[in-house]
Amino acid sequence: MRGVAAALSARAHLVHDAGDTTGGETHGRAAVARALVGIRMRFPGAQVRPARVNGAPGGIISSAGGQVVAVLALDGRHRIREVWLTTAESKLARWQPRPPQL
């Protein structure tokens, strides 16, 4: 968790769109770091890869089986100040890998 916290501003802010009542907002470096690590830990073996999300730097978290389980966008200058995260299945649909065309 220290690595995640080190990248965050002391005034970090997380908006989590879960598509239901489990989402919400989190404020502060330690709380945002805990929330991000908690999301990642829900998916053992998941991989995080960098991506542009709505034109901003971000990442895609994929399960060990290749399903996209979360997408996040980041904003900040020297440290990350804003994190927008979605785990809402309806919003993840367009990020899912497509089967190869034959």
Side-chain angles (χ1 to χ4, degrees):
M1 187 167 94
R2 285 185 191 153
V4 173
L8 297 170
S9 162
R11 297 173 66 184
H13 174 230
L14 166 70
V15 176
H16 178 194
D17 177 0
D20 59 24
T21 60
T22 63
E25 294 187 44
T26 304
H27 299 271
R29 177 185 291 139
V32 170
R34 275 192 305 277
L36 291 173
V37 169
I39 295 283
R40 169 64 178 78
M41 297 307 291
R42 287 180 20 204
F43 306 101
Q47 296 183 359
V48 181
R49 63 182 163 91
R52 299 288 297 173
V53 178
N54 296 331
I60 298 172
I61 303 174
S62 299
S63 70
Q67 282 291 106
V68 174
V69 295
V71 173
L72 57 107
L74 310 169
D75 188 30
R77 289 189 177 194
H78 303 291
R79 293 186 187 228
I80 299 165
R81 172 86 190 252
E82 298 286 339
V83 180
W84 294 273
L85 171 79
T86 187
T87 55
E89 286 186 36
S90 62
K91 293 185 179 174
L92 295 177
R94 72 181 195 98
W95 295 93
Q96 297 301 336
R98 294 191 170 81
Q101 302 263 336
L102 299 178

